[in-house]
Protein backbone atom coordinates (compact mmCIF):
# COMPACT_ATOMS: atom_id res chain seq x y z
CA UNK A 1 0.00 0.00 0.00
CA UNK A 2 1.46 3.34 -0.96
CA UNK A 3 0.91 6.42 1.17
CA UNK A 4 2.30 8.99 -1.23
CA UNK A 5 3.16 8.89 -4.91
CA UNK A 6 4.75 11.66 -6.93
CA UNK A 7 4.86 11.24 -10.69
CA UNK A 8 7.05 13.42 -12.90
CA UNK A 9 6.82 16.42 -10.61
CA UNK A 10 8.48 19.64 -11.77
CA UNK A 11 8.49 23.23 -10.66
CA UNK A 12 9.90 26.60 -11.64
CA UNK A 13 10.27 29.85 -9.73
CA UNK A 14 9.98 32.89 -12.02
CA UNK A 15 10.86 30.85 -15.08
CA UNK A 16 13.90 29.22 -13.50
CA UNK A 17 13.41 25.47 -13.32
CA UNK A 18 14.25 24.17 -9.88
CA UNK A 19 12.75 20.71 -10.14
CA UNK A 20 11.92 18.39 -12.98
CA UNK A 21 10.85 14.81 -13.50
CA UNK A 22 10.87 13.74 -9.87
CA UNK A 23 9.00 10.52 -9.22
CA UNK A 24 8.88 8.64 -5.96
CA UNK A 25 6.54 6.59 -3.88
CA UNK A 26 6.42 5.94 -0.17
CA UNK A 27 4.71 2.95 1.42
CA UNK A 28 2.58 3.10 4.55
CA UNK A 29 4.66 3.15 7.69
CA UNK A 30 7.87 3.74 5.78
CA UNK A 31 10.30 6.52 6.61
CA UNK A 32 12.07 7.72 3.50
CA UNK A 33 14.94 10.17 3.66
CA UNK A 34 15.53 12.49 0.75
CA UNK A 35 19.11 13.74 0.62
CA UNK A 36 20.89 16.08 -1.74
CA UNK A 37 23.14 19.13 -1.61
CA UNK A 38 21.54 22.34 -0.37
CA UNK A 39 19.79 24.23 -3.12
CA UNK A 40 18.79 21.15 -5.09
CA UNK A 41 15.06 21.63 -4.53
CA UNK A 42 14.40 19.13 -1.74
CA UNK A 43 12.34 21.54 0.33
CA UNK A 44 10.36 22.65 -2.70
CA UNK A 45 9.54 19.01 -3.35
CA UNK A 46 8.31 18.54 0.22
CA UNK A 47 6.18 21.68 -0.02
CA UNK A 48 4.67 20.44 -3.27
CA UNK A 49 3.95 17.02 -1.77
CA UNK A 50 2.34 18.67 1.28
CA UNK A 51 0.16 20.86 -0.93
CA UNK A 52 1.73 24.19 0.03
CA UNK A 53 2.90 24.87 -3.52
CA UNK A 54 1.13 23.55 -6.58
CA UNK A 55 3.46 21.77 -8.96
CA UNK A 56 3.92 23.18 -12.44
CA UNK A 57 3.94 19.70 -13.88
CA UNK A 58 3.42 16.15 -12.72
CA UNK A 59 1.00 14.57 -10.31
CA UNK A 60 0.81 14.16 -6.55
CA UNK A 61 -1.39 11.36 -5.22
CA UNK A 62 -1.76 10.74 -1.53
CA UNK A 63 -3.58 7.89 0.13
CA UNK A 64 -3.06 8.87 3.75
CA UNK A 65 -5.65 10.15 6.20
CA UNK A 66 -3.93 13.29 7.43
CA UNK A 67 -0.49 14.75 7.31
CA UNK A 68 1.64 16.92 9.56
CA UNK A 69 4.86 18.81 8.99
CA UNK A 70 7.91 19.72 11.02
CA UNK A 71 9.71 22.71 9.52
CA UNK A 72 13.33 23.77 9.75
CA UNK A 73 12.39 26.64 12.07
CA UNK A 74 9.84 25.64 14.70
CA UNK A 75 7.16 28.07 13.40
CA UNK A 76 5.36 28.36 16.71
CA UNK A 77 2.73 31.01 17.32
CA UNK A 78 4.62 33.46 19.57
CA UNK A 79 1.52 34.60 21.42
CA UNK A 80 0.58 31.12 22.54
CA UNK A 81 2.21 29.00 25.20
CA UNK A 82 3.71 25.62 24.36
CA UNK A 83 0.45 23.83 25.21
CA UNK A 84 -1.53 26.27 23.06
CA UNK A 85 0.81 25.66 20.16
CA UNK A 86 0.50 21.89 20.44
CA UNK A 87 -3.27 22.27 20.60
CA UNK A 88 -3.45 24.51 17.51
CA UNK A 89 -3.93 21.78 14.86
CA UNK A 90 -6.36 20.01 17.19
CA UNK A 91 -8.43 23.18 17.34
CA UNK A 92 -8.40 23.37 13.57
CA UNK A 93 -9.79 19.86 13.42
CA UNK A 94 -12.62 20.90 15.72
CA UNK A 95 -11.79 18.69 18.68
CA UNK A 96 -13.48 19.24 22.03
CA UNK A 97 -11.51 21.02 24.74
CA UNK A 98 -11.26 18.07 27.07
CA UNK A 99 -10.00 15.71 24.41
CA UNK A 100 -7.58 18.39 23.25
CA UNK A 101 -6.05 18.73 26.71
CA UNK A 102 -5.61 14.99 26.90
CA UNK A 103 -3.92 14.79 23.49
CA UNK A 104 -1.67 17.76 24.30
CA UNK A 105 -0.48 16.06 27.46
CA UNK A 106 0.11 12.71 25.71
CA UNK A 107 1.97 14.35 22.90
CA UNK A 108 4.07 16.48 25.24
CA UNK A 109 5.02 13.40 27.22
CA UNK A 110 6.17 11.70 24.04
CA UNK A 111 8.71 14.44 23.37
CA UNK A 112 9.59 14.75 27.08
CA UNK A 113 8.19 18.21 27.64
CA UNK A 114 7.50 18.76 31.30
CA UNK A 115 4.43 20.27 32.90
CA UNK A 116 5.88 23.68 33.68
CA UNK A 117 7.32 24.11 30.19
CA UNK A 118 3.86 23.73 28.72
CA UNK A 119 2.80 27.12 30.11
CA UNK A 120 5.81 28.95 28.74
CA UNK A 121 5.75 31.11 25.64
CA UNK A 122 8.08 30.14 22.78
CA UNK A 123 10.36 33.11 23.59
CA UNK A 124 11.00 31.58 27.01
CA UNK A 125 12.08 28.22 25.57
CA UNK A 126 15.47 27.21 24.19
CA UNK A 127 15.92 26.26 20.53
CA UNK A 128 15.80 22.55 21.28
CA UNK A 129 12.71 22.90 23.42
CA UNK A 130 10.96 24.86 20.67
CA UNK A 131 11.69 22.12 18.17
CA UNK A 132 10.32 19.60 20.69
CA UNK A 133 7.10 21.61 20.83
CA UNK A 134 6.98 21.62 17.03
CA UNK A 135 7.37 17.83 16.96
CA UNK A 136 4.72 17.43 19.66
CA UNK A 137 2.40 19.66 17.63
CA UNK A 138 2.87 17.45 14.58
CA UNK A 139 2.34 14.26 16.61
CA UNK A 140 -0.74 15.54 18.47
CA UNK A 141 -3.07 15.08 15.51
CA UNK A 142 -1.87 11.47 15.14
CA UNK A 143 -0.91 11.83 11.50
CA UNK A 144 -0.24 8.82 9.30
CA UNK A 145 2.14 10.84 7.17
CA UNK A 146 4.70 13.38 8.36
CA UNK A 147 6.86 15.72 6.33
CA UNK A 148 10.13 16.64 7.98
CA UNK A 149 11.74 19.59 6.20
CA UNK A 150 15.35 19.65 7.44
CA UNK A 151 13.98 19.84 10.98
CA UNK A 152 17.22 19.65 12.96
CA UNK A 153 19.67 21.61 10.81
CA UNK A 154 19.86 24.48 13.29
CA UNK A 155 20.54 22.30 16.33
CA UNK A 156 23.90 21.18 17.73
CA UNK A 157 25.12 17.62 17.34
CA UNK A 158 24.05 16.23 20.70
CA UNK A 159 20.62 17.81 20.50
CA UNK A 160 20.23 16.59 16.95
CA UNK A 161 20.77 13.00 18.04
CA UNK A 162 18.20 13.33 20.79
CA UNK A 163 15.65 14.75 18.36
CA UNK A 164 16.36 12.00 15.84
CA UNK A 165 15.75 9.43 18.57
CA UNK A 166 12.46 11.13 19.35
CA UNK A 167 11.41 10.88 15.72
CA UNK A 168 12.48 7.25 15.49
CA UNK A 169 10.52 6.37 18.63
CA UNK A 170 7.47 8.34 17.48
CA UNK A 171 7.53 6.68 14.06
CA UNK A 172 7.59 3.28 15.70
CA UNK A 173 4.90 4.11 18.18
CA UNK A 174 2.50 5.85 15.81
CA UNK A 175 3.45 3.88 12.68
CA UNK A 176 3.42 6.91 10.40
CA UNK A 177 5.07 7.14 7.02
CA UNK A 178 7.43 10.05 6.55
CA UNK A 179 9.38 12.00 4.00
CA UNK A 180 12.45 13.22 5.84
CA UNK A 181 14.32 15.96 3.99
CA UNK A 182 17.91 16.43 5.10
CA UNK A 183 21.33 17.15 3.72
CA UNK A 184 22.98 15.27 6.55
CA UNK A 185 23.67 11.75 5.31
CA UNK A 186 24.32 10.44 8.82
CA UNK A 187 20.90 11.67 9.91
CA UNK A 188 19.28 10.01 6.89
CA UNK A 189 20.94 6.68 7.67
CA UNK A 190 19.87 6.88 11.33
CA UNK A 191 16.18 7.65 10.86
CA UNK A 192 15.16 6.15 7.53
CA UNK A 193 14.26 2.78 6.05
CA UNK A 194 15.20 3.97 2.60
CA UNK A 195 17.28 6.82 1.21
CA UNK A 196 16.59 8.68 -2.01
CA UNK A 197 19.25 10.90 -3.49
CA UNK A 198 18.25 13.95 -5.44
CA UNK A 199 20.11 15.24 -8.48
CA UNK A 200 22.18 18.26 -7.51
CA UNK A 201 20.20 20.46 -9.91
CA UNK A 202 16.83 18.96 -9.08
CA UNK A 203 16.60 16.93 -12.27
CA UNK A 204 15.01 13.83 -10.87
CA UNK A 205 16.40 11.29 -8.43
CA UNK A 206 19.81 9.80 -9.05
CA UNK A 207 19.66 6.87 -6.69
CA UNK A 208 17.81 4.87 -4.12
CA UNK A 209 19.46 2.86 -1.32
CA UNK A 210 17.86 0.63 1.26
CA UNK A 211 19.50 0.88 4.67
CA UNK A 212 20.01 -2.44 6.47
CA UNK A 213 18.10 -3.04 9.67
CA UNK A 214 15.38 -1.03 11.37
CA UNK A 215 15.82 2.62 12.44
CA UNK A 216 16.64 2.63 16.12
CA UNK A 217 18.31 -0.80 16.01
CA UNK A 218 21.37 0.32 14.08
CA UNK A 219 24.50 0.90 16.11
CA UNK A 220 26.78 3.87 15.56
CA UNK A 221 29.57 1.81 14.03
CA UNK A 222 27.35 0.38 11.32
CA UNK A 223 25.79 3.81 10.62
CA UNK A 224 29.24 5.29 10.24
CA UNK A 225 30.38 2.40 8.05
CA UNK A 226 27.40 2.73 5.72
CA UNK A 227 27.99 6.45 5.43
CA UNK A 228 31.63 5.91 4.54
CA UNK A 229 30.66 3.28 2.01
CA UNK A 230 28.05 5.52 0.42
CA UNK A 231 30.34 8.49 0.18
CA UNK A 232 33.43 6.61 -1.01
CA UNK A 233 32.14 4.12 -3.51
CA UNK A 234 28.59 5.03 -4.43
CA UNK A 235 28.27 7.23 -7.50
CA UNK A 236 24.78 8.40 -6.41
CA UNK A 237 26.21 10.23 -3.42
CA UNK A 238 28.98 12.02 -5.32
CA UNK A 239 27.34 15.46 -5.03
CA UNK A 240 25.58 15.15 -1.69
CA UNK A 241 28.05 17.34 0.17
CA UNK A 242 28.41 19.97 -2.54
CA UNK A 243 27.59 23.40 -1.26
CA UNK A 244 26.23 26.27 -3.28
CA UNK A 245 24.62 28.64 -0.88
CA UNK A 246 23.64 31.12 -3.59
CA UNK A 247 20.76 28.96 -4.72
CA UNK A 248 17.73 28.76 -2.58
CA UNK A 249 16.39 25.50 -1.27
CA UNK B 1 -8.97 30.04 36.32
CA UNK B 2 -7.22 31.07 39.54
CA UNK B 3 -3.98 31.40 37.61
CA UNK B 4 -5.72 33.48 34.96
CA UNK B 5 -7.16 35.95 37.50
CA UNK B 6 -3.95 35.99 39.53
CA UNK B 7 -1.89 36.82 36.47
CA UNK B 8 -4.21 39.70 35.51
CA UNK B 9 -4.22 41.04 39.07
CA UNK B 10 -0.44 40.84 39.20
CA UNK B 11 -0.09 42.81 36.02
CA UNK B 12 -2.66 45.35 37.17
CA UNK B 13 -0.69 45.78 40.39
CA UNK B 14 2.54 46.26 38.47
CA UNK B 15 0.80 48.79 36.27
CA UNK B 16 -0.57 50.68 39.28
CA UNK B 17 2.89 50.70 40.83
CA UNK B 18 4.30 52.21 37.63
CA UNK B 19 1.83 55.06 38.27
CA UNK B 20 4.43 56.56 40.63
CA UNK B 21 6.67 57.42 37.70
CA UNK B 22 3.70 58.96 35.90
CA UNK B 23 2.97 61.00 39.01
CA UNK B 24 6.61 62.14 39.13
CA UNK B 25 6.37 63.33 35.51
CA UNK B 26 3.17 65.25 36.27
CA UNK B 27 4.87 66.83 39.32
CA UNK B 28 7.80 67.87 37.13
CA UNK B 29 5.45 69.47 34.61
CA UNK B 30 3.64 71.28 37.41
CA UNK B 31 6.97 72.58 38.76
CA UNK B 32 8.02 74.01 35.39
CA UNK B 33 4.54 75.45 34.94
CA UNK B 34 4.70 77.07 38.40
CA UNK B 35 8.09 78.58 37.54
CA UNK B 36 6.60 80.02 34.36
CA UNK B 37 3.69 81.40 36.33
CA UNK B 38 5.99 83.09 38.83
CA UNK B 39 8.07 84.61 36.01
CA UNK B 40 5.20 85.91 33.83
CA UNK B 41 2.37 86.52 36.22
CA UNK B 42 -1.28 85.56 36.49
CA UNK B 43 -2.54 87.01 33.22
CA UNK B 44 -0.14 85.18 30.86
CA UNK B 45 0.10 81.89 32.72
CA UNK B 46 -2.12 81.12 35.70
CA UNK B 47 -0.62 78.82 38.31
CA UNK B 48 -1.26 75.04 37.98
CA UNK B 49 -3.11 75.05 41.29
CA UNK B 50 -5.47 77.80 40.14
CA UNK B 51 -6.03 75.96 36.86
CA UNK B 52 -6.77 72.68 38.60
CA UNK B 53 -9.21 74.44 40.93
CA UNK B 54 -10.86 76.11 37.95
CA UNK B 55 -11.17 72.73 36.23
CA UNK B 56 -12.77 71.23 39.32
CA UNK B 57 -15.07 74.24 39.45
CA UNK B 58 -16.07 73.62 35.84
CA UNK B 59 -16.86 70.01 36.66
CA UNK B 60 -19.18 71.11 39.45
CA UNK B 61 -21.61 72.52 36.86
CA UNK B 62 -23.68 69.79 35.13
CA UNK B 63 -23.90 71.71 31.84
CA UNK B 64 -20.12 71.52 31.56
CA UNK B 65 -20.32 67.74 31.86
CA UNK B 66 -22.64 67.78 28.85
CA UNK B 67 -20.10 69.82 26.89
CA UNK B 68 -17.36 67.37 27.81
CA UNK B 69 -19.52 64.38 26.96
CA UNK B 70 -20.51 65.91 23.62
CA UNK B 71 -16.85 66.28 22.68
CA UNK B 72 -16.03 62.79 23.92
CA UNK B 73 -18.95 61.33 22.01
CA UNK B 74 -17.90 63.08 18.81
CA UNK B 75 -14.26 62.13 19.22
CA UNK B 76 -15.06 58.49 20.02
CA UNK B 77 -17.57 58.06 17.21
CA UNK B 78 -15.07 59.55 14.76
CA UNK B 79 -12.39 57.31 16.24
CA UNK B 80 -14.48 54.17 15.88
CA UNK B 81 -15.41 55.06 12.31
CA UNK B 82 -11.80 55.78 11.42
CA UNK B 83 -10.56 52.68 13.24
CA UNK B 84 -12.99 50.29 11.60
CA UNK B 85 -12.70 51.79 8.11
CA UNK B 86 -8.92 52.17 8.27
CA UNK B 87 -8.31 48.68 9.64
CA UNK B 88 -10.64 47.06 7.13
CA UNK B 89 -9.18 48.84 4.11
CA UNK B 90 -5.65 48.40 5.41
CA UNK B 91 -6.03 44.65 5.78
CA UNK B 92 -7.55 44.38 2.31
CA UNK B 93 -4.72 46.46 0.86
CA UNK B 94 -2.17 44.30 2.68
CA UNK B 95 -3.50 41.16 1.05
CA UNK B 96 -4.14 42.72 -2.37
CA UNK B 97 -1.06 44.42 -3.81
CA UNK B 98 -3.14 46.09 -6.55
CA UNK B 99 -5.29 47.86 -3.96
CA UNK B 100 -2.13 48.89 -2.11
CA UNK B 101 -0.59 50.37 -5.24
CA UNK B 102 -3.76 52.28 -6.04
CA UNK B 103 -4.24 53.58 -2.53
CA UNK B 104 -0.69 54.73 -1.85
CA UNK B 105 -0.90 57.96 -3.93
CA UNK B 106 -4.38 58.63 -2.57
CA UNK B 107 -2.94 58.28 0.91
CA UNK B 108 -0.19 60.77 0.19
CA UNK B 109 -2.82 63.25 -0.99
CA UNK B 110 -5.05 62.63 2.03
CA UNK B 111 -2.14 63.07 4.43
CA UNK B 112 -0.98 66.17 2.58
CA UNK B 113 -4.24 68.07 3.09
CA UNK B 114 -4.10 69.80 6.51
CA UNK B 115 -6.99 68.94 8.89
CA UNK B 116 -7.93 72.58 9.02
CA UNK B 117 -8.76 72.52 5.31
CA UNK B 118 -11.02 69.53 5.89
CA UNK B 119 -12.80 71.44 8.65
CA UNK B 120 -13.56 74.28 6.24
CA UNK B 121 -14.87 71.83 3.64
CA UNK B 122 -16.95 69.75 6.06
CA UNK B 123 -18.39 72.95 7.57
CA UNK B 124 -19.65 73.91 4.14
CA UNK B 125 -21.01 70.41 3.55
CA UNK B 126 -22.53 69.55 6.92
CA UNK B 127 -22.83 72.88 8.77
CA UNK B 128 -22.04 73.13 12.51
CA UNK B 129 -23.00 69.62 13.54
CA UNK B 130 -21.70 66.27 14.75
CA UNK B 131 -21.18 65.20 11.15
CA UNK B 132 -18.63 67.98 10.57
CA UNK B 133 -16.53 66.81 13.50
CA UNK B 134 -16.90 63.11 12.73
CA UNK B 135 -16.07 63.57 9.05
CA UNK B 136 -12.97 65.64 9.87
CA UNK B 137 -11.77 63.00 12.31
CA UNK B 138 -12.47 60.31 9.75
CA UNK B 139 -10.26 61.91 7.10
CA UNK B 140 -7.46 62.82 9.45
CA UNK B 141 -7.25 59.61 11.51
CA UNK B 142 -8.03 56.92 8.91
CA UNK B 143 -4.72 57.06 6.98
CA UNK B 144 -2.64 56.23 10.08
CA UNK B 145 -4.77 53.20 10.88
CA UNK B 146 -4.86 52.15 7.25
CA UNK B 147 -1.06 52.19 6.91
CA UNK B 148 -0.64 50.22 10.13
CA UNK B 149 -3.17 47.59 9.03
CA UNK B 150 -1.53 47.15 5.64
CA UNK B 151 1.93 47.07 7.22
CA UNK B 152 0.78 44.43 9.69
CA UNK B 153 -0.46 42.17 6.92
CA UNK B 154 2.56 42.71 4.69
CA UNK B 155 5.15 42.08 7.39
CA UNK B 156 3.39 39.01 8.77
CA UNK B 157 5.38 35.82 9.20
CA UNK B 158 4.49 33.83 6.09
CA UNK B 159 6.07 30.75 7.64
CA UNK B 160 3.26 30.70 10.19
CA UNK B 161 0.73 30.93 7.38
CA UNK B 162 2.31 27.92 5.69
CA UNK B 163 2.30 26.06 8.99
CA UNK B 164 -1.42 26.73 9.47
CA UNK B 165 -2.10 25.67 5.90
CA UNK B 166 -0.28 22.37 6.37
CA UNK B 167 -2.44 21.64 9.39
CA UNK B 168 -5.56 22.26 7.35
CA UNK B 169 -6.57 25.88 8.02
CA UNK B 170 -8.48 27.58 5.21
CA UNK B 171 -7.81 31.22 4.24
CA UNK B 172 -10.34 32.72 6.68
CA UNK B 173 -9.26 30.49 9.53
CA UNK B 174 -5.65 31.37 8.74
CA UNK B 175 -6.40 35.06 8.91
CA UNK B 176 -8.35 34.78 12.16
CA UNK B 177 -5.93 32.54 14.01
CA UNK B 178 -2.55 33.63 12.61
CA UNK B 179 -2.81 36.87 10.62
CA UNK B 180 -5.03 38.92 12.88
CA UNK B 181 -2.75 38.75 15.89
CA UNK B 182 0.18 40.00 13.86
CA UNK B 183 -1.94 42.78 12.36
CA UNK B 184 -3.02 43.83 15.86
CA UNK B 185 0.59 44.28 16.94
CA UNK B 186 0.88 47.02 14.32
CA UNK B 187 -2.66 48.28 14.62
CA UNK B 188 -2.86 49.04 18.33
CA UNK B 189 -0.12 51.70 18.53
CA UNK B 190 -1.71 53.32 15.47
CA UNK B 191 -5.10 53.22 17.19
CA UNK B 192 -3.66 54.94 20.26
CA UNK B 193 -2.31 57.64 17.95
CA UNK B 194 -5.63 57.87 16.12
CA UNK B 195 -7.46 58.29 19.43
CA UNK B 196 -5.22 61.24 20.33
CA UNK B 197 -5.75 62.74 16.87
CA UNK B 198 -9.51 62.27 17.24
CA UNK B 199 -9.64 64.32 20.44
CA UNK B 200 -7.42 67.06 19.08
CA UNK B 201 -9.29 67.31 15.82
CA UNK B 202 -12.65 67.21 17.63
CA UNK B 203 -11.76 70.19 19.80
CA UNK B 204 -10.28 72.06 16.85
CA UNK B 205 -13.29 71.41 14.64
CA UNK B 206 -15.67 72.46 17.40
CA UNK B 207 -13.74 75.66 17.94
CA UNK B 208 -13.68 76.61 14.28
CA UNK B 209 -17.17 75.43 13.39
CA UNK B 210 -18.59 76.85 16.61
CA UNK B 211 -20.28 73.52 17.17
CA UNK B 212 -20.37 73.55 20.99
CA UNK B 213 -18.51 71.04 23.12
CA UNK B 214 -15.10 71.74 24.61
CA UNK B 215 -14.06 73.62 21.46
CA UNK B 216 -17.05 75.93 21.81
CA UNK B 217 -16.24 76.55 25.46
CA UNK B 218 -12.64 77.34 24.51
CA UNK B 219 -13.84 79.85 21.92
CA UNK B 220 -15.92 81.52 24.61
CA UNK B 221 -13.04 81.75 27.11
CA UNK B 222 -10.85 83.24 24.39
CA UNK B 223 -13.48 85.87 23.63
CA UNK B 224 -13.59 86.72 27.35
CA UNK B 225 -9.78 86.60 27.74
CA UNK B 226 -10.30 84.02 30.50
CA UNK B 227 -6.85 82.37 30.46
CA UNK B 228 -7.51 80.25 33.54
CA UNK B 229 -10.74 78.96 32.03
CA UNK B 230 -9.01 78.12 28.74
CA UNK B 231 -6.25 76.21 30.51
CA UNK B 232 -8.82 74.43 32.67
CA UNK B 233 -10.65 73.25 29.54
CA UNK B 234 -7.38 72.07 28.01
CA UNK B 235 -6.64 70.18 31.21
CA UNK B 236 -10.07 68.55 31.12
CA UNK B 237 -9.75 67.47 27.50
CA UNK B 238 -6.32 65.96 28.20
CA UNK B 239 -7.82 64.06 31.14
CA UNK B 240 -10.63 62.84 28.87
CA UNK B 241 -8.07 61.58 26.36
CA UNK B 242 -6.08 59.83 29.07
CA UNK B 243 -9.25 58.15 30.33
CA UNK B 244 -10.07 57.06 26.78
CA UNK B 245 -6.61 55.67 26.15
CA UNK B 246 -6.13 53.86 29.44
CA UNK B 247 -9.69 52.62 29.52
CA UNK B 248 -9.87 51.47 25.92
CA UNK B 249 -6.66 50.93 24.02
CA UNK B 250 -4.19 49.95 26.76
CA UNK B 251 -6.13 47.01 28.27
CA UNK B 252 -6.63 45.42 24.86
CA UNK B 253 -3.00 45.90 24.04
CA UNK B 254 -1.79 44.47 27.36
CA UNK B 255 -3.95 41.39 26.83
CA UNK B 256 -2.62 40.80 23.32
CA UNK B 257 1.02 41.45 24.16
CA UNK B 258 1.33 39.20 27.17
CA UNK B 259 3.94 37.08 25.42
CA UNK B 260 6.12 40.11 24.68
CA UNK B 261 6.27 40.86 28.36
CA UNK B 262 7.29 37.27 29.02
CA UNK B 263 10.24 37.82 26.66
CA UNK B 264 11.67 40.58 28.81
CA UNK B 265 14.26 39.50 31.36
CA UNK B 266 13.40 39.86 35.01
CA UNK B 267 13.80 43.36 36.40
CA UNK B 268 13.31 45.39 33.25
CA UNK B 269 9.55 45.10 32.95
CA UNK B 270 8.32 48.46 31.78
Amino acid sequence: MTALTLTGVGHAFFGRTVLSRVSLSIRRGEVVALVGPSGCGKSTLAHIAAGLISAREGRVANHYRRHAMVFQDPRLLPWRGAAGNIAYPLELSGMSRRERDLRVRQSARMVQLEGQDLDKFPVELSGGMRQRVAIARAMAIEPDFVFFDEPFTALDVALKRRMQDLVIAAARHNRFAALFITHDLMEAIRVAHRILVMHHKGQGLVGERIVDGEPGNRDDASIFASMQAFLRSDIAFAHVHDVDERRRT
Amino acid sequence: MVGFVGDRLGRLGRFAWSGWSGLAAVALLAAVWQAGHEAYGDFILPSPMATALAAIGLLAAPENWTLLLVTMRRALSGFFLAGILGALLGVIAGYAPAVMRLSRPLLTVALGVPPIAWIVLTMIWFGASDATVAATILVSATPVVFVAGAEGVMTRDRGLDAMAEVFGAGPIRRFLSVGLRQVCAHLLPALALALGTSFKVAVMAELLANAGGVGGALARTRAMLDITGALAWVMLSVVALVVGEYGLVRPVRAELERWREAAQPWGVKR
Side-chain angles (χ1 to χ4, degrees):
Chain A
M1 278 303 260
T2 57
L4 175 74
T5 312
L6 305 184
T7 324
V9 166
H11 195 67
F13 284 118
F14 305 111
R16 189 170 58 85
T17 305
V18 290
L19 269 182
S20 59
R21 304 188 311 272
V22 181
S23 299
L24 62 87
S25 92
I26 297 173
R27 286 190 303 277
R28 288 207 173 145
E30 185 188 32
V31 178
V32 172
L34 180 65
V35 299
S38 39
C40 74
K42 305 185 295 287
S43 283
T44 307
L45 188 71
H47 285 89
I48 288 172
L52 284 176
I53 310 175
S54 43
R56 208 191 48 169
E57 58 189 40
R59 220 157 49 79
V60 178
N62 56 50
H63 308 288
Y64 50 76
R65 207 166 31 88
R66 66 195 315 172
H67 65 222
M69 192 159 186
V70 181
F71 298 88
Q72 182 170 357
D73 40 346
R75 301 202 181 177
L76 304 176
L77 303 174
W79 54 85
R80 284 188 179 211
N85 268 292
I86 299 173
Y88 179 65
L90 302 175
E91 279 167 35
L92 290 177
S93 69
M95 191 179 278
S96 76
R97 196 190 179 98
R98 182 177 301 172
E99 202 174 341
R100 231 157 53 202
D101 287 350
L102 194 74
R103 286 276 196 97
V104 166
R105 240 171 293 134
Q106 270 175 1
S107 189
R109 204 175 313 127
M110 183 185 283
V111 299
Q112 291 143 34
L113 277 171
E114 300 188 351
Q116 55 186 3
D117 297 325
L118 284 177
D119 294 330
K120 289 185 180 160
F121 289 107
V123 279
E124 298 173 283
L125 297 170
S126 67
M129 292 295 264
R130 278 179 219 167
Q131 202 54 282
R132 268 178 212 265
V133 176
I135 295 173
R137 175 177 64 190
M139 295 302 129
I141 52 166
E142 297 182 348
D144 50 354
F145 199 98
V146 186
F147 295 95
F148 292 94
D149 182 12
E150 304 197 31
F152 311 134
T153 309
L155 303 180
D156 65 62
V157 179
L159 211 48
K160 219 177 196 177
R161 275 187 71 105
R162 282 239 287 284
M163 296 290 159
Q164 289 160 4
D165 291 339
L166 277 181
V167 169
I168 294 165
R172 267 198 179 170
H173 183 258
N174 293 4
R175 324 201 123 276
F176 56 72
L179 179 62
F180 197 106
I181 311 283
T182 177
H183 58 243
D184 179 351
L185 193 50
M186 185 89 122
E187 183 167 80
I189 298 170
R190 283 200 81 203
V191 301
H193 295 102
R194 185 154 61 101
I195 297 178
L196 300 173
V197 188
M198 192 131 166
H199 184 268
H200 64 284
K201 283 186 177 155
Q203 292 163 2
L205 299 173
V206 292
E208 173 187 49
R209 300 292 178 268
I210 300 201
V211 190
D212 296 332
E214 277 286 306
N217 294 345
R218 302 172 187 135
D219 59 80
D220 285 354
S222 74
I223 289 170
F224 193 70
S226 354
M227 188 177 79
Q228 289 290 318
F230 282 149
L231 284 179
R232 205 172 296 144
S233 52
D234 200 326
I235 190 74
F237 292 89
H239 290 287
V240 164
H241 284 170
D242 285 4
V243 173
D244 188 351
E245 76 289 348
R246 288 164 302 175
R247 303 188 55 206
R248 51 194 256 188
T249 43
Chain B
M1 193 61 207
V2 175
F4 181 84
V5 173
D7 184 45
R8 297 314 183 275
L9 278 179
R11 280 193 293 132
L12 203 64
R14 257 207 309 281
F15 175 72
W17 185 248
S18 74
W20 287 116
S21 58
L23 213 57
V26 170
L28 196 67
L29 176 69
V32 174
W33 186 346
Q34 181 70 27
H37 161 68
E38 278 165 24
Y40 294 104
D42 237 352
F43 183 70
I44 303 287
L45 193 64
S47 77
M49 199 60 195
T51 309
L53 286 177
I56 293 167
L58 286 176
L59 285 183
E63 68 267 21
N64 287 333
W65 276 97
T66 359
L67 289 183
L68 211 56
L69 285 179
V70 162
T71 301
M72 261 184 122
R73 194 192 67 219
R74 284 170 175 166
L76 287 180
S77 56
F79 167 70
F80 279 120
L81 272 179
I84 291 167
L85 194 72
L88 207 66
L89 291 177
V91 167
I92 292 171
Y95 279 108
V99 177
M100 190 69 214
R101 248 172 253 154
L102 270 178
S103 55
R104 205 166 261 155
L106 293 177
L107 214 63
T108 314
V109 172
L111 283 172
V113 179
I116 208 128
W118 287 114
I119 293 171
V120 172
L121 286 175
T122 50
M123 259 170 68
I124 295 168
W125 294 335
F126 304 114
S129 68
D130 280 15
T132 306
V133 183
T136 315
I137 293 173
L138 192 66
V139 236
S140 32
T142 306
V144 186
V145 183
F146 173 89
V147 170
E151 197 86 348
V153 173
M154 284 189 298
T155 58
R156 75 189 189 280
D157 186 346
R158 278 154 208 270
L160 292 180
D161 270 355
M163 182 278 293
E165 197 178 346
V166 158
F167 288 111
I172 293 170
R173 201 66 200 263
R174 264 201 317 271
F175 173 68
L176 292 178
S177 63
V178 178
L180 195 58
R181 283 299 287 255
Q182 301 179 62
V183 173
C184 279
H186 279 81
L187 214 49
L188 285 169
L191 284 178
L193 194 67
L195 185 65
T197 309
S198 301
F199 269 87
K200 280 182 276 191
V201 171
V203 172
M204 188 162 70
E206 282 171 349
L207 194 144
L208 287 169
N210 204 11
V214 174
L218 269 176
R220 206 170 55 240
T221 55
R222 185 198 53 181
M224 288 153 61
L225 287 179
D226 176 8
I227 311 293
T228 320
L231 278 175
W233 276 113
V234 170
M235 194 182 256
L236 286 181
S237 55
V238 169
V239 169
L241 169 65
V242 168
V243 168
E245 181 166 346
Y246 281 86
L248 216 68
V249 179
R250 291 296 176 109
V252 178
R253 196 168 168 188
E255 194 54 42
L256 291 179
E257 310 256 288
R258 225 146 46 83
W259 64 276
R260 256 184 238 283
E261 196 182 350
Q264 288 166 353
W266 187 88
V268 288
K269 308 234 186 255
R270 278 178 283 227

